[in-house]
Amino acid sequence: MKAIQVIEPFRVEIVDVPKPEITNPDDVIIRVTSGGICGSDIGIYNGTNSLATYPRLIGHEFGGIVESIGSAVTNTAPGDQVAADPVISCGHCYACRIGRHNVCRDLEVMGVHRDGGFAEYVKVPAANIHLYHKKFDESLLGLAEPYTIGVEINQRAQIQADDRVLIMGAGPIGICAMQVAKRNGAKVIMTDLVKERLYKAKEMGADEIVSVSEENLEERLDRFTEGEGIPVIVDTVCIPSSFEQAVKLACPAGRIVCLGLKNQPSSICMADITKKELTIVGSRLNNHCFDEVIAGFEDGSLTPQKLMTKAYNYKDIMDALTMITEHPKDVLKLVLKFN
Ligand code: MN
Ligand code: ZN
């Protein structure tokens, strides 16, 4: 079968590899219909993703149709439309034992630490398979994973109805987190430097948008919260100064979600955290968030069709990578089609 392999940084090829076979009773083989290209895939391609090893069959956002199942599989059957959770954990470390397997000590993500789903077929453990219940457009089956990042963010920040939420950055993660927050009944204000992204955020459901190069964010937050200050901040910008700004902006008893993976320190005053008794949490990957995402796809509150900027045949992966690197402002999510 064909698969997309990053041989080494800046060298991506369509390779011929053996089609996966059932070897364990809980194996599920999926005929992949679509995958989403993520910023972290770009990082594997250009050598800036410190977690990746080479050569690597990439792709952690993928879905498709179940082709075959092992003898012990009961949660799915051939022909089902499914999404696959790329998170693989050990099951017995501290994090796994307390139900936080997405930060397993020996965490492996398909498409990053081990081979992924940008291939005609992929083998996934049954526990990582999640069913679509309604017939869904095949090119969108791979877009559940980015929305699971949004669900995890909402869970980590305990976002609930009527919460006022500031999402810094209107890229794909910001937009997914926003749609999930809206689904949870919150009111969301989003920032970015790029107007096109802000208009897209508004179109997809953000209550308010702020062009931070032109407007005073503090004034806007003041109006948005009737002077109370913002209680929930999601930082998808992930630079040292955005984290510093979040700690300054949060109101007393506020919650801040961090998503950055860069090893750059921020200058944070302890007193800001102590005096306001802030809750600062990390959010990584997803912890059993697929079923909530699929429910959102099916009730129409989450709109992957609007997240998708354009679909490419997987053989045109280089065109897609070029589009993302040369026109980042115009791209929210590019999809690869495998059929
Ligand atoms: Mn992703
Ligand atoms: Zn573990």
Side-chain angles (χ1 to χ4, degrees):
M1 68 164 186
K2 304 282 187 198
I4 297 175
Q5 189 174 53
V6 180
I7 317 280
E8 59 187 25
F10 296 106
R11 201 169 136 221
V12 62
E13 285 177 13
I14 307 295
V15 293
D16 270 303
V17 293
K19 185 178 164 185
E21 287 174 8
I22 304 274
T23 49
N24 288 311
D26 74 331
D27 282 342
V28 174
I29 291 173
I30 303 173
R31 177 171 65 76
V32 177
T33 61
S34 71
I37 302 179
C38 180
S40 63
D41 296 318
I42 304 296
I44 298 173
Y45 171 64
N46 65 22
T48 59
N49 186 324
S50 60
L51 302 171
T53 51
Y54 302 88
R56 176 64 58 232
L57 298 190
I58 56 170
H60 62 270
E61 303 176 3
F62 58 93
I65 316 259
V66 172
E67 173 90 355
S68 55
I69 58 172
S71 57
V73 177
T74 55
N75 61 336
T76 186
D80 285 342
Q81 287 193 320
V82 296
D85 186 344
V87 176
I88 311 272
S89 53
C90 80
H92 47 75
C93 71
Y94 172 73
C96 284
R97 287 201 312 277
I98 65 160
R100 304 270 299 274
H101 79 125
N102 54 314
V103 287
C104 171
R105 191 181 56 188
D106 296 317
L107 176 73
E108 290 198 19
V109 180
M110 293 183 70
V112 183
H113 308 82
R114 60 162 80 183
D115 283 342
F118 287 177
E120 290 181 292
Y121 296 89
V122 63
K123 182 161 73 177
V124 180
N128 292 53
I129 295 286
H130 298 273
L131 256 64
Y132 292 92
H133 312 94
K134 293 181 184 169
K135 191 102 182 96
F136 222 75
D137 182 340
E138 289 192 356
S139 62
L140 301 174
L141 298 179
L143 293 189
E145 198 274 347
Y147 276 100
T148 65
I149 307 297
V151 171
E152 180 73 12
I153 289 167
N154 274 255
Q155 290 182 354
R156 296 287 292 147
Q158 298 179 301
I159 292 171
Q160 43 198 300
D162 299 324
D163 269 337
R164 307 282 154 133
V165 179
L166 164 64
I167 298 180
M168 301 161 84
I173 290 176
I175 292 213
C176 288
M178 175 273 291
Q179 283 204 316
V180 175
K182 291 296 297 172
R183 185 170 192 267
N184 289 333
K187 291 220 163 15
V188 181
I189 186 166
M190 294 186 80
T191 65
D192 208 288
L193 292 165
V194 180
K195 287 221 173 114
E196 292 78 3
R197 292 198 161 203
L198 287 170
Y199 297 146
K200 185 77 184 173
K202 185 99 209 220
E203 180 202 318
M204 290 181 71
D207 295 284
E208 296 195 21
I209 51 176
V210 186
S211 170
V212 278
S213 59
E214 297 172 351
E215 292 180 84
N216 183 312
L217 178 58
E218 278 178 66
E219 276 174 27
R220 288 292 305 276
L221 290 177
D222 227 38
R223 264 185 282 150
F224 184 62
T225 62
E226 286 119 31
E228 201 156 57
I230 191 80
V232 184
I233 302 179
V234 178
D235 175 14
T236 77
V237 177
C238 305
I239 56 177
S241 60
S242 61
F243 183 33
E244 290 158 16
Q245 188 182 23
V247 170
K248 291 284 178 207
L249 288 174
C251 76
R255 290 103 77 192
I256 296 170
V257 182
C258 294
L259 296 150
L261 283 167
K262 293 210 171 75
N263 288 316
Q264 292 171 314
S266 298
S267 295
I268 304 288
C269 287
M270 261 185 269
D272 288 330
I273 300 173
T274 311
K275 284 183 189 164
K276 296 193 278 188
E277 209 174 51
L278 298 180
T279 303
I280 300 176
V281 295
S283 185
R284 185 170 187 196
L285 299 161
N286 87 95
N287 185 2
H288 300 298
C289 299
F290 272 77
D291 292 329
E292 186 174 331
V293 168
I294 290 171
F297 282 15
E298 292 176 351
D299 69 23
S301 57
L302 307 179
T303 58
Q305 67 279 8
K306 289 187 182 166
L307 189 71
M308 179 176 84
T309 307
K310 194 176 171 192
Y312 291 78
N313 184 282
Y314 73 96
K315 290 181 178 159
D316 300 322
I317 175 74
M318 271 319 299
D319 294 345
L321 292 175
T322 304
M323 173 76 183
I324 294 171
T325 36
E326 290 184 3
H327 306 280
K329 294 176 183 180
D330 302 325
V331 174
L332 205 48
K333 181 64 71 182
L334 296 186
V335 164
L336 296 172
K337 298 212 279 189
F338 288 85
N339 46 349

PDB file of all heavy atoms in Angstrom, residues 189-196 198-199 208-217 220:
ATOM      1  N   ILE A 189     -14.546  35.421  23.327  1.00  0.00           N
ATOM      2  CA  ILE A 189     -13.898  36.521  22.611  1.00  0.00           C
ATOM      3  C   ILE A 189     -12.539  36.010  22.137  1.00  0.00           C
ATOM      4  O   ILE A 189     -11.841  35.331  22.887  1.00  0.00           O
ATOM      5  CB  ILE A 189     -13.783  37.772  23.523  1.00  0.00           C
ATOM      6  CG1 ILE A 189     -13.241  38.982  22.752  1.00  0.00           C
ATOM      7  CG2 ILE A 189     -12.938  37.509  24.773  1.00  0.00           C
ATOM      8  CD1 ILE A 189     -13.415  40.311  23.503  1.00  0.00           C
ATOM      9  N   MET A 190     -12.210  36.278  20.875  1.00  0.00           N
ATOM     10  CA  MET A 190     -10.969  35.740  20.307  1.00  0.00           C
ATOM     11  C   MET A 190     -10.076  36.853  19.785  1.00  0.00           C
ATOM     12  O   MET A 190     -10.559  37.857  19.263  1.00  0.00           O
ATOM     13  CB  MET A 190     -11.272  34.773  19.162  1.00  0.00           C
ATOM     14  CG  MET A 190     -11.972  33.522  19.636  1.00  0.00           C
ATOM     15  SD  MET A 190     -12.171  32.294  18.330  1.00  0.00           S
ATOM     16  CE  MET A 190     -10.544  31.553  18.291  1.00  0.00           C
ATOM     17  N   THR A 191      -8.773  36.640  19.902  1.00  0.00           N
ATOM     18  CA  THR A 191      -7.803  37.613  19.390  1.00  0.00           C
ATOM     19  C   THR A 191      -6.956  36.986  18.294  1.00  0.00           C
ATOM     20  O   THR A 191      -6.791  35.763  18.238  1.00  0.00           O
ATOM     21  CB  THR A 191      -6.838  38.078  20.495  1.00  0.00           C
ATOM     22  OG1 THR A 191      -6.052  36.960  20.927  1.00  0.00           O
ATOM     23  CG2 THR A 191      -7.571  38.680  21.663  1.00  0.00           C
ATOM     24  N   ASP A 192      -6.416  37.837  17.438  1.00  0.00           N
ATOM     25  CA  ASP A 192      -5.396  37.419  16.475  1.00  0.00           C
ATOM     26  C   ASP A 192      -4.805  38.680  15.861  1.00  0.00           C
ATOM     27  O   ASP A 192      -5.320  39.789  16.067  1.00  0.00           O
ATOM     28  CB  ASP A 192      -5.995  36.509  15.380  1.00  0.00           C
ATOM     29  CG  ASP A 192      -4.964  35.541  14.798  1.00  0.00           C
ATOM     30  OD1 ASP A 192      -4.072  35.994  14.053  1.00  0.00           O
ATOM     31  OD2 ASP A 192      -5.029  34.345  15.109  1.00  0.00           O
ATOM     32  N   LEU A 193      -3.727  38.489  15.115  1.00  0.00           N
ATOM     33  CA  LEU A 193      -3.162  39.608  14.345  1.00  0.00           C
ATOM     34  C   LEU A 193      -3.721  39.598  12.930  1.00  0.00           C
ATOM     35  O   LEU A 193      -3.718  40.618  12.248  1.00  0.00           O
ATOM     36  CB  LEU A 193      -1.632  39.482  14.275  1.00  0.00           C
ATOM     37  CG  LEU A 193      -0.873  39.682  15.583  1.00  0.00           C
ATOM     38  CD1 LEU A 193       0.563  39.177  15.447  1.00  0.00           C
ATOM     39  CD2 LEU A 193      -0.875  41.155  15.976  1.00  0.00           C
ATOM     40  N   VAL A 194      -4.199  38.428  12.498  1.00  0.00           N
ATOM     41  CA  VAL A 194      -4.607  38.250  11.099  1.00  0.00           C
ATOM     42  C   VAL A 194      -6.121  38.403  10.986  1.00  0.00           C
ATOM     43  O   VAL A 194      -6.885  37.625  11.566  1.00  0.00           O
ATOM     44  CB  VAL A 194      -4.173  36.865  10.580  1.00  0.00           C
ATOM     45  CG1 VAL A 194      -4.598  36.678   9.131  1.00  0.00           C
ATOM     46  CG2 VAL A 194      -2.662  36.689  10.723  1.00  0.00           C
ATOM     47  N   LYS A 195      -6.541  39.418  10.240  1.00  0.00           N
ATOM     48  CA  LYS A 195      -7.977  39.707  10.151  1.00  0.00           C
ATOM     49  C   LYS A 195      -8.776  38.575   9.523  1.00  0.00           C
ATOM     50  O   LYS A 195      -9.877  38.266   9.977  1.00  0.00           O
ATOM     51  CB  LYS A 195      -8.181  40.986   9.328  1.00  0.00           C
ATOM     52  CG  LYS A 195      -7.779  42.223  10.099  1.00  0.00           C
ATOM     53  CD  LYS A 195      -8.791  43.336   9.862  1.00  0.00           C
ATOM     54  CE  LYS A 195      -8.496  44.512  10.763  1.00  0.00           C
ATOM     55  NZ  LYS A 195      -8.092  45.695  10.056  1.00  0.00           N
ATOM     56  N   GLU A 196      -8.213  37.947   8.477  1.00  0.00           N
ATOM     57  CA  GLU A 196      -8.933  36.848   7.812  1.00  0.00           C
ATOM     58  C   GLU A 196      -9.285  35.757   8.820  1.00  0.00           C
ATOM     59  O   GLU A 196     -10.372  35.182   8.781  1.00  0.00           O
ATOM     60  CB  GLU A 196      -8.086  36.247   6.682  1.00  0.00           C
ATOM     61  CG  GLU A 196      -7.868  37.152   5.487  1.00  0.00           C
ATOM     62  CD  GLU A 196      -6.799  38.229   5.702  1.00  0.00           C
ATOM     63  OE1 GLU A 196      -6.153  38.253   6.785  1.00  0.00           O
ATOM     64  OE2 GLU A 196      -6.628  39.060   4.791  1.00  0.00           O
ATOM     65  N   LEU A 198      -9.685  36.145  12.035  1.00  0.00           N
ATOM     66  CA  LEU A 198     -10.705  36.642  12.958  1.00  0.00           C
ATOM     67  C   LEU A 198     -12.083  36.595  12.318  1.00  0.00           C
ATOM     68  O   LEU A 198     -13.066  36.215  12.962  1.00  0.00           O
ATOM     69  CB  LEU A 198     -10.359  38.067  13.398  1.00  0.00           C
ATOM     70  CG  LEU A 198      -9.180  38.154  14.376  1.00  0.00           C
ATOM     71  CD1 LEU A 198      -8.745  39.602  14.563  1.00  0.00           C
ATOM     72  CD2 LEU A 198      -9.538  37.533  15.720  1.00  0.00           C
ATOM     73  N   TYR A 199     -12.167  36.965  11.039  1.00  0.00           N
ATOM     74  CA  TYR A 199     -13.469  36.909  10.356  1.00  0.00           C
ATOM     75  C   TYR A 199     -13.966  35.471  10.299  1.00  0.00           C
ATOM     76  O   TYR A 199     -15.160  35.196  10.479  1.00  0.00           O
ATOM     77  CB  TYR A 199     -13.364  37.496   8.941  1.00  0.00           C
ATOM     78  CG  TYR A 199     -12.992  38.959   8.915  1.00  0.00           C
ATOM     79  CD1 TYR A 199     -12.199  39.479   7.894  1.00  0.00           C
ATOM     80  CD2 TYR A 199     -13.440  39.834   9.912  1.00  0.00           C
ATOM     81  CE1 TYR A 199     -11.848  40.829   7.869  1.00  0.00           C
ATOM     82  CE2 TYR A 199     -13.081  41.179   9.892  1.00  0.00           C
ATOM     83  CZ  TYR A 199     -12.283  41.658   8.876  1.00  0.00           C
ATOM     84  OH  TYR A 199     -11.941  42.985   8.860  1.00  0.00           O
ATOM     85  N   GLU A 208     -17.167  37.598  19.919  1.00  0.00           N
ATOM     86  CA  GLU A 208     -16.461  38.842  19.616  1.00  0.00           C
ATOM     87  C   GLU A 208     -15.053  38.516  19.149  1.00  0.00           C
ATOM     88  O   GLU A 208     -14.477  37.494  19.525  1.00  0.00           O
ATOM     89  CB  GLU A 208     -16.414  39.738  20.859  1.00  0.00           C
ATOM     90  CG  GLU A 208     -17.806  40.179  21.298  1.00  0.00           C
ATOM     91  CD  GLU A 208     -17.776  41.333  22.291  1.00  0.00           C
ATOM     92  OE1 GLU A 208     -16.760  42.051  22.354  1.00  0.00           O
ATOM     93  OE2 GLU A 208     -18.780  41.481  22.996  1.00  0.00           O
ATOM     94  N   ILE A 209     -14.525  39.426  18.312  1.00  0.00           N
ATOM     95  CA  ILE A 209     -13.155  39.255  17.824  1.00  0.00           C
ATOM     96  C   ILE A 209     -12.392  40.553  18.049  1.00  0.00           C
ATOM     97  O   ILE A 209     -12.978  41.637  18.000  1.00  0.00           O
ATOM     98  CB  ILE A 209     -13.128  38.870  16.325  1.00  0.00           C
ATOM     99  CG1 ILE A 209     -13.981  39.846  15.498  1.00  0.00           C
ATOM    100  CG2 ILE A 209     -13.575  37.426  16.121  1.00  0.00           C
ATOM    101  CD1 ILE A 209     -13.922  39.598  13.998  1.00  0.00           C
ATOM    102  N   VAL A 210     -11.105  40.418  18.332  1.00  0.00           N
ATOM    103  CA  VAL A 210     -10.272  41.586  18.606  1.00  0.00           C
ATOM    104  C   VAL A 210      -9.004  41.501  17.770  1.00  0.00           C
ATOM    105  O   VAL A 210      -8.236  40.545  17.895  1.00  0.00           O
ATOM    106  CB  VAL A 210      -9.875  41.658  20.102  1.00  0.00           C
ATOM    107  CG1 VAL A 210      -9.138  42.964  20.377  1.00  0.00           C
ATOM    108  CG2 VAL A 210     -11.080  41.514  21.000  1.00  0.00           C
ATOM    109  N   SER A 211      -8.798  42.505  16.931  1.00  0.00           N
ATOM    110  CA  SER A 211      -7.567  42.608  16.162  1.00  0.00           C
ATOM    111  C   SER A 211      -6.541  43.297  17.062  1.00  0.00           C
ATOM    112  O   SER A 211      -6.579  44.513  17.242  1.00  0.00           O
ATOM    113  CB  SER A 211      -7.837  43.415  14.889  1.00  0.00           C
ATOM    114  OG  SER A 211      -6.619  43.723  14.265  1.00  0.00           O
ATOM    115  N   VAL A 212      -5.649  42.519  17.663  1.00  0.00           N
ATOM    116  CA  VAL A 212      -4.815  43.061  18.750  1.00  0.00           C
ATOM    117  C   VAL A 212      -3.792  44.083  18.274  1.00  0.00           C
ATOM    118  O   VAL A 212      -3.229  44.812  19.087  1.00  0.00           O
ATOM    119  CB  VAL A 212      -4.114  41.942  19.563  1.00  0.00           C
ATOM    120  CG1 VAL A 212      -5.048  41.367  20.593  1.00  0.00           C
ATOM    121  CG2 VAL A 212      -3.547  40.867  18.672  1.00  0.00           C
ATOM    122  N   SER A 213      -3.535  44.140  16.954  1.00  0.00           N
ATOM    123  CA  SER A 213      -2.600  45.168  16.490  1.00  0.00           C
ATOM    124  C   SER A 213      -3.274  46.532  16.403  1.00  0.00           C
ATOM    125  O   SER A 213      -2.619  47.560  16.322  1.00  0.00           O
ATOM    126  CB  SER A 213      -2.035  44.768  15.125  1.00  0.00           C
ATOM    127  OG  SER A 213      -3.087  44.615  14.209  1.00  0.00           O
ATOM    128  N   GLU A 214      -4.605  46.556  16.437  1.00  0.00           N
ATOM    129  CA  GLU A 214      -5.326  47.821  16.261  1.00  0.00           C
ATOM    130  C   GLU A 214      -6.164  48.228  17.459  1.00  0.00           C
ATOM    131  O   GLU A 214      -6.540  49.379  17.588  1.00  0.00           O
ATOM    132  CB  GLU A 214      -6.288  47.698  15.054  1.00  0.00           C
ATOM    133  CG  GLU A 214      -5.584  47.456  13.750  1.00  0.00           C
ATOM    134  CD  GLU A 214      -6.571  47.159  12.629  1.00  0.00           C
ATOM    135  OE1 GLU A 214      -7.772  46.978  12.914  1.00  0.00           O
ATOM    136  OE2 GLU A 214      -6.127  47.124  11.480  1.00  0.00           O
ATOM    137  N   GLU A 215      -6.491  47.246  18.294  1.00  0.00           N
ATOM    138  CA  GLU A 215      -7.429  47.553  19.373  1.00  0.00           C
ATOM    139  C   GLU A 215      -6.801  47.278  20.726  1.00  0.00           C
ATOM    140  O   GLU A 215      -5.902  46.463  20.848  1.00  0.00           O
ATOM    141  CB  GLU A 215      -8.690  46.683  19.226  1.00  0.00           C
ATOM    142  CG  GLU A 215      -9.526  47.027  18.026  1.00  0.00           C
ATOM    143  CD  GLU A 215     -10.746  46.122  17.942  1.00  0.00           C
ATOM    144  OE1 GLU A 215     -11.736  46.435  18.610  1.00  0.00           O
ATOM    145  OE2 GLU A 215     -10.681  45.115  17.242  1.00  0.00           O
ATOM    146  N   ASN A 216      -7.315  47.947  21.744  1.00  0.00           N
ATOM    147  CA  ASN A 216      -6.847  47.732  23.107  1.00  0.00           C
ATOM    148  C   ASN A 216      -7.612  46.547  23.711  1.00  0.00           C
ATOM    149  O   ASN A 216      -8.807  46.626  23.965  1.00  0.00           O
ATOM    150  CB  ASN A 216      -7.080  49.011  23.928  1.00  0.00           C
ATOM    151  CG  ASN A 216      -6.541  48.876  25.340  1.00  0.00           C
ATOM    152  OD1 ASN A 216      -6.789  47.880  26.020  1.00  0.00           O
ATOM    153  ND2 ASN A 216      -5.800  49.877  25.764  1.00  0.00           N
ATOM    154  N   LEU A 217      -6.886  45.470  23.937  1.00  0.00           N
ATOM    155  CA  LEU A 217      -7.524  44.239  24.408  1.00  0.00           C
ATOM    156  C   LEU A 217      -8.143  44.424  25.793  1.00  0.00           C
ATOM    157  O   LEU A 217      -9.259  43.955  26.043  1.00  0.00           O
ATOM    158  CB  LEU A 217      -6.502  43.091  24.410  1.00  0.00           C
ATOM    159  CG  LEU A 217      -7.008  41.740  24.921  1.00  0.00           C
ATOM    160  CD1 LEU A 217      -8.208  41.238  24.126  1.00  0.00           C
ATOM    161  CD2 LEU A 217      -5.884  40.703  24.895  1.00  0.00           C
ATOM    162  N   ARG A 220     -11.454  46.073  25.567  1.00  0.00           N
ATOM    163  CA  ARG A 220     -12.460  45.171  24.998  1.00  0.00           C
ATOM    164  C   ARG A 220     -12.899  44.120  26.027  1.00  0.00           C
ATOM    165  O   ARG A 220     -14.085  43.793  26.142  1.00  0.00           O
ATOM    166  CB  ARG A 220     -11.914  44.491  23.738  1.00  0.00           C
ATOM    167  CG  ARG A 220     -11.778  45.401  22.523  1.00  0.00           C
ATOM    168  CD  ARG A 220     -13.136  45.840  21.969  1.00  0.00           C
ATOM    169  NE  ARG A 220     -14.004  44.707  21.667  1.00  0.00           N
ATOM    170  CZ  ARG A 220     -13.977  44.003  20.539  1.00  0.00           C
ATOM    171  NH1 ARG A 220     -13.141  44.332  19.581  1.00  0.00           N
ATOM    172  NH2 ARG A 220     -14.795  42.987  20.358  1.00  0.00           N
TER     173      ARG A 220
END
